[in-house]
Amino acid sequence: MAEFGLDADDLPDGLVVADSTGRVICFNAAAARICGTEPSDVLGRPIQSALPLQDLDGHRWWQLTDPYGGLATRSGQPERGLLLEGREVLVSARYVRTHPTGPVHRLVVGLRGTEARRRSERSDAELIATVAHELRSPLTSVKGFTATLLAKWERFTDDQKRLMLETVDADANRVTRLITELLDISRIDSGRLEVRRQPVDMAAAVRRHVQAHTAAGEPPDRFVTRIVEPLPELWADPDKIDQVLGNLLENAVRHGDGTVTIEVAPAPHRHHDEGTAVTVSDEGPGIPEESMSRVFTRFWRGSKRGGTGLGLYIVKGIVEAHGGDITVSRAPGGGAQFRFTLPVGAPAFMA
């Protein structure tokens, strides 16, 4: 590392190095923080006593792995959770040999804390609990109405049957939407969200979503649509763009007040590449300044509770999968303003 001007203390993870005799010759600052030990207290000591590691069953790890006396073909140990004086740490090891089956010349041990993994586990557990809770209500409704219809079909009028079937249909759509959200999150987190690019008329897509809201009972004068022509030809995934627009407009209608303004305009994207920007603004209470940085995280919900809190996380993932950017700020009317910009893109067969 010295040839690159790096010091072991510059590394974010713990680094412990032992020489050919098993004595510690390097113990960086991160290792000292993780172990709660000063480097001066362990340098020169046998690594087994400097790092008294145990597996989760309480067995001494160094006796199990035996880097100096074990198989000469071993090159190291993959990362695993071990106990260090009662605290769990993530440990990996690399055996540096002078030749492939020669004696161990250096033993390099990496140490990491488990905080990040525990945060990830808590987030996954919260995701499962949230989705399970959201699924329970519509599934209970579907089960109740279908069981009632099957048992007492003849007792209901046609209007009553229609009402119950419409409720079942709406709840089934809600379940489908929740499962779609769950699959989207899985693909976003694993970097496997596929974008199938086709020509997208963004202005027509915005008008279609506004018409859907007015058909559902929202007054037409609540929406103002501004299209700045000419718009560049946009290649994007139309279904996923519909998800983005649908989520942003639904948020503006549900959580905002007053007029909802949607503007579509050409805009430079990053390095002055051609792009399209869509801005959705409302006149509601807006988003508190201290919450702005958390809007696109999992489970964030506005002042009005309800929903899974996953919609804006998915929106951000979709926009970024297209190579775009999305931001949130305060609208001129005092409400929330979401703006996303997409590069013009290229057809799927050229991407």
Side-chain angles (χ1 to χ4, degrees), residues 154-331:
E154 296 82 4
R155 300 186 186 182
F156 296 108
T157 66
D158 288 346
D159 287 343
Q160 289 173 323
K161 292 173 184 176
R162 175 177 292 277
L163 177 62
M164 284 190 280
L165 288 173
E166 286 175 348
T167 304
V168 168
D169 183 62
D171 284 331
N173 287 337
R174 182 178 166 192
V175 170
T176 301
R177 188 165 59 250
L178 284 166
I179 293 172
T180 300
E181 284 186 350
L182 193 60
L183 290 171
D184 285 339
I185 286 174
S186 173
R187 292 176 183 131
I188 289 168
D189 288 347
S190 63
R192 294 185 294 107
L193 187 67
E194 292 186 8
V195 174
R196 303 183 184 277
R197 295 183 186 272
Q198 302 173 35
V200 172
D201 186 338
M202 187 67 81
V206 167
R207 294 189 184 102
R208 188 170 64 251
H209 280 274
V210 170
Q211 288 170 1
H213 280 282
T214 55
E218 291 292 332
D221 59 0
R222 187 176 181 190
F223 299 93
V224 173
T225 303
R226 297 179 184 145
I227 311 297
V228 180
E229 303 280 4
L231 293 172
E233 184 180 23
L234 177 66
W235 288 79
D237 189 315
D239 292 336
K240 290 181 172 55
I241 296 304
D242 274 342
Q243 268 186 274
V244 172
L245 291 174
N247 196 293
L248 294 181
L249 263 69
E250 185 177 346
N251 276 356
V253 169
R254 180 185 298 175
H255 301 292
D257 295 320
T259 302
V260 176
T261 303
I262 310 102
E263 181 179 282
V264 184
H269 177 71
R270 293 181 184 170
H271 305 296
H272 307 291
D273 294 334
E274 201 174 16
T276 298
V278 179
T279 306
V280 179
S281 309
D282 63 67
E283 297 176 338
I287 298 169
E289 194 69 32
E290 62 272 14
S291 298
M292 289 284 189
S293 61
R294 298 187 289 112
V295 166
F296 297 109
T297 59
R298 284 187 186 184
F299 312 119
W300 183 86
R301 297 179 180 90
S303 56
K304 297 179 182 178
R305 306 295 288 180
T308 60
L310 300 173
L312 291 174
Y313 178 81
I314 294 171
V315 163
K316 184 174 186 287
I318 290 173
V319 170
E320 291 181 347
H322 281 80
D325 301 300
I326 185 166
T327 59
V328 61
S329 60
R330 184 166 293 278

